[in-house]
Amino acid sequence: MLHLLDQSAETLQSWFTAHDLPGYRAAQVQRWLFEKRARSFDQMTDLPLELRNQLAEEFRIWSAGVAAHQEADDGTEKLLLELADGQRIECVLLRDDREHCNMCISSQVGCGMGCVFCATGLDGVVRNLTTGEIVEQMLQLQRLLDPAERLSHVVVMGMGEPLANLDHVLPALALATARGGLGISVRRVTISTVGLPAGIRRLAEMNCQYHLAISLHAADDALRTQLVPANRNVGIAAIMAAADEYFEKTGRRVTFEYVVLGGTNDRPADAARLVALLHGRPALVNLIPYNPVEGLPYHAPSAASVSRFADILTDGGLTVAVRHRKGDRIDAACGQLRR
Ligand code: SAH
Ligand code: SF4
């Protein structure tokens, strides 16, 4: 059986054409899934019964099951999904208010980049997610909303390295932002990457208008390679060149994420190097106080060290935000997602 959520609007359309069915039916099915939050073909009541049966014979809407569902008192909810092959991934819903619900979705089972502080990277990468599996996370999270709540933002910041799976991530984001899809504004989509220059260039070339966040974590190659082994064959200079190109082509300011690890990369000299690197660039720095991962030897920074670090950046003329911690009590905060 085909996974319905893995079909692009065009392939679904051609299935209808091949079956001598009117093309508008494809759009109708999509509206049921994305807008009216239907769970089954049975619920698509304005489709002829015969068509509903025919669809149910050829397509399954869902490929994954919910293996666990956790809820924190700040409104954050986390789903552990079990995929058709038994692999597991997590995705998170974060609420600001009714009009502003954000979802954090995964792009791979595990991650091959090996960042030494990250729970996702601990056991390497198993495989890329399909487009349908990425879309399914969004619809499963949408299901958790009450009818008055609206998905407004999506961040590809869960498990995995999205730029290592762009062929599946981009079609999923196209559905997230399509009018007949989830209708999320392209400017409210964030792709967070470890910094793969070829992928950044590809996004720049397509002038996609998504918000790009690059996980830097250190402003010199020696420290960065220690924290982000994938840096060894890349280097900060190549990442900065690609980031500059992204800004030139899209006009969108790039965010640099910096996980602050107590006693490791939070010294004043680290901040000064970051100022030197980013000075004069239209950049935003997002400081993420480390969320401890069991079994790893890294520590959360003290509040004093984070604010000292932030002050040095601000004094150096950079724009800085400290990421508000959400969902850490259910291990749904940055870097805590696992299989
Ligand atoms: N692979 C992509 C996206 C997923 S990780 C990337 O690295 O950007 C999303 C963000 O969470 C990254 O900035 C990552 O460095 C950060 N992160 C990973 N582990 C963390 C932890 N334990 N505490 C805080 N942030 C963490
Ligand atoms: Fe992968 Fe991102 Fe974790 Fe690094 S921080 S291991 S790139 S998920």
Side-chain angles (χ1 to χ4, degrees):
M1 267 215 257
L2 295 168
H3 186 197
L4 186 64
L5 302 179
D6 205 35
Q7 312 303 312
S8 65
E10 295 74 34
T11 49
L12 197 59
Q13 190 78 46
S14 38
W15 184 87
F16 278 83
T17 317
H19 288 76
D20 289 329
L21 293 160
Y24 68 86
R25 293 285 187 207
Q28 232 175 333
V29 169
Q30 214 164 28
R31 207 170 320 120
W32 271 111
L33 288 170
F34 289 92
E35 285 173 18
K36 302 199 239 175
R37 308 182 187 181
R39 305 287 308 151
S40 66
F41 292 114
D42 281 347
Q43 292 174 345
M44 305 183 181
T45 45
D46 57 1
L47 300 182
L49 184 60
E50 194 190 338
L51 173 57
R52 278 185 261 159
N53 291 337
Q54 203 176 350
L55 285 166
E57 270 166 33
E58 299 227 11
F59 297 99
R60 59 194 164 129
I61 301 181
W62 310 102
S63 71
V66 176
H69 175 196
Q70 283 175 283
E71 226 173 321
D73 25 351
D74 63 7
T76 303
E77 295 185 59
K78 182 172 82 165
L79 294 176
L80 173 69
L81 299 182
E82 180 158 323
L83 308 174
D85 61 356
Q87 294 295 338
R88 293 172 159 211
I89 53 164
E90 292 190 310
C91 53
V92 182
L93 176 72
L94 303 121
R95 292 178 161 95
D96 280 333
D97 56 55
R98 283 170 175 277
E99 293 291 308
H100 298 95
C101 297
N102 187 357
M103 50 189 165
C104 175
I105 57 170
S106 295
S107 55
Q108 298 183 304
V109 178
C111 183
M113 299 298 141
C115 304
V116 294
F117 50 82
C118 172
T120 302
L122 282 178
D123 306 310
V125 64
V126 177
R127 65 171 175 88
N128 284 336
L129 295 181
T130 64
T131 296
E133 287 166 338
I134 299 169
V135 172
E136 191 158 339
Q137 294 172 63
M138 303 196 247
L139 293 188
Q140 289 283 11
L141 293 171
Q142 184 187 42
R143 232 186 121 197
L144 304 175
L145 302 177
D146 67 48
E149 289 180 313
R150 213 171 59 82
L151 287 175
S152 58
H153 292 72
V154 54
V155 297
V156 191
M157 224 180 252
M159 299 166 67
E161 169 47 43
L163 297 200
N165 187 18
L166 271 183
D167 287 344
H168 296 139
V169 168
L170 290 175
L173 292 178
L175 276 168
T177 52
R179 218 171 238 239
L182 289 173
I184 294 171
S185 148
V186 284
R187 303 182 67 86
R188 291 173 163 186
V189 172
T190 300
I191 301 178
S192 174
T193 174
V194 72
L196 305 181
I200 296 172
R201 291 223 163 75
R202 182 169 161 194
L203 294 174
E205 291 300 333
M206 47 179 280
N207 190 5
C208 61
Q209 290 297 308
Y210 296 142
H211 178 197
L212 182 68
I214 299 178
S215 295
L216 202 58
H217 313 321
D220 64 285
D221 277 319
L223 180 58
R224 189 167 195 268
T225 297
Q226 193 185 314
L227 299 174
V228 182
N231 188 62
R232 191 181 305 278
N233 303 317
V234 180
I236 293 172
I239 295 174
M240 297 313 295
D244 290 345
E245 193 178 321
Y246 189 85
F247 176 73
E248 280 155 26
K249 294 249 161 76
T250 65
R252 292 222 65 186
R253 194 164 66 151
V254 174
T255 291
F256 291 90
E257 295 165 284
Y258 196 103
V259 172
V260 188
L261 304 156
T264 300
N265 66 353
D266 63 344
R267 299 157 297 186
D270 297 313
R273 267 193 289 271
L274 191 57
V275 169
L277 180 69
L278 297 182
H279 189 77
R281 286 188 154 101
L284 181 90
V285 179
N286 200 339
L287 296 180
I288 313 173
Y290 183 60
N291 298 309
V293 174
E294 210 184 291
L296 294 182
Y298 297 95
H299 307 286
S302 67
S305 125
V306 175
S307 66
R308 181 185 61 186
F309 199 92
D311 287 347
I312 297 173
L313 301 185
T314 311
D315 291 347
L318 304 184
T319 311
V320 184
V322 178
R323 190 173 297 170
H324 179 62
R325 198 172 290 195
K326 261 193 170 168
D328 53 338
R329 241 165 298 147
I330 55 169
D331 281 349
C334 294
Q336 295 185 311
L337 304 188
R338 33 167 107 224
R339 286 183 247 159

